[in-house]
Amino acid sequence: MRNIYLIGPRGCGKTTIGKELADRLDMPFVDTDAVFLDRHGTIADFVAHNGWDAFRDAEAEILASIADRAGTVVGCGGGIVLRESNRELLRKGFCVYLKASADELARRLRADPSQEQRPSLTGNPLDDEIRQVLQEREPLYFDCANLVMKASEPWRIVDFVAEKVKSGFF
C-alpha cells in the first residue's frame, strides 16, 4: 500500500486528521515536524542558528526516509511542497490537500500555544503572512494532490479516505 500524505498550510489539521485516519486504518502515523523536533529541536531555534535552507534540507531528508516505508499516514510540514524533489516523493503516494481559508488558519494558529516554536515565514503580521504563504504554496499543494478536501470537515476527510483505502481505491 502507498503512503497517504496529508499536505496543507500549518494549522489545517494534518496532525489531528492524520492520527485519526491512521488509527481508523490501523496504520502507523508520522508527522514530519515531530520527527524534525526529535532530531533537531524546535524549528524556530534551528532556523535561527542554521537558516531556512538548512531546515528545508533536513525536512527533505526526513520525507525521503519516510517515503521508503509503505503503508504510513504522513502529516507533512506546510512548506514541504516548496522543493520539487519533495513533490516528486509526495506524488508516489496518495496525497490529500487539506484546504482551509486564511481566516480559519489564522483563528486556529492564534489558539495554538505551540506556535511560538514556529518562526515567522515572512516577518509580517499573522493574517498577512497566511495570505502570502497561501498565495505562494496553494498551486504547489494542488499540483501534488490526488484529493482536495475542506479542512473544516475533519470527520468527513477521515471517513472518505478510510473508505477509499478499505475499498482498494488506492
Side-chain angles (χ1 to χ4, degrees), residues 15-81:
T15 301
T16 302
I17 292 167
K19 287 177 180 178
E20 179 66 27
L21 182 60
D23 186 53
R24 178 86 60 90
L25 294 170
D26 196 28
M27 294 170 64
F29 173 74
V30 177
D31 182 295
T32 62
D33 285 346
V35 173
F36 183 92
L37 185 65
D38 287 345
R39 292 183 185 175
H40 304 285
T42 69
I43 294 170
D45 288 345
F46 186 90
V47 169
H49 291 100
N50 303 290
W52 279 107
D53 286 341
F55 169 73
R56 296 293 174 207
D57 290 343
E59 181 180 58
E61 180 183 308
I62 290 166
L63 180 62
S65 70
I66 294 168
D68 285 342
R69 306 175 200 172
T72 301
V73 176
V74 184
C76 298
I80 212 156
V81 296

Side-chain angles (χ1 to χ4, degrees), residues 13-168:
K14 298 176 298 269
T15 301
T16 302
I17 292 167
K19 287 177 180 178
E20 179 66 27
L21 182 60
D23 186 53
R24 178 86 60 90
L25 294 170
D26 196 28
M27 294 170 64
F29 173 74
V30 177
D31 182 295
T32 62
D33 285 346
V35 173
F36 183 92
L37 185 65
D38 287 345
R39 292 183 185 175
H40 304 285
T42 69
I43 294 170
D45 288 345
F46 186 90
V47 169
H49 291 100
N50 303 290
W52 279 107
D53 286 341
F55 169 73
R56 296 293 174 207
D57 290 343
E59 181 180 58
E61 180 183 308
I62 290 166
L63 180 62
S65 70
I66 294 168
D68 285 342
R69 306 175 200 172
T72 301
V73 176
V74 184
C76 298
I80 212 156
V81 296
L82 292 172
R83 290 203 172 165
E84 176 59 34
S85 59
N86 290 344
R87 294 192 302 272
E88 289 173 9
L89 290 174
L90 293 171
R91 287 185 199 107
K92 292 180 180 178
F94 188 82
C95 204
V96 181
Y97 169 30
L98 305 178
K99 186 170 174 40
S101 72
D103 291 338
E104 176 67 13
L105 293 169
R107 184 189 65 73
R108 290 179 181 190
L109 291 173
R110 282 191 186 94
D112 185 353
S114 68
Q115 286 310 306
E116 69 276 358
Q117 297 178 10
R118 302 299 303 255
S120 172
L121 299 169
T122 65
N124 293 327
L126 182 62
D127 292 69
D128 294 338
E129 177 171 286
I130 291 169
R131 284 178 178 71
Q132 181 179 345
V133 168
L134 278 177
Q135 183 177 10
E136 173 188 347
R137 295 179 183 175
E138 192 158 63
L140 303 173
Y141 294 138
F142 279 118
D143 181 55
C144 296
N146 300 100
L147 178 66
V148 178
M149 297 199 75
K150 290 181 184 177
S152 61
E153 300 174 341
W155 64 94
R156 187 168 173 242
I157 296 165
V158 171
D159 288 346
F160 184 82
V161 175
E163 178 184 314
K164 293 300 179 191
V165 169
K166 289 177 180 179
S167 71

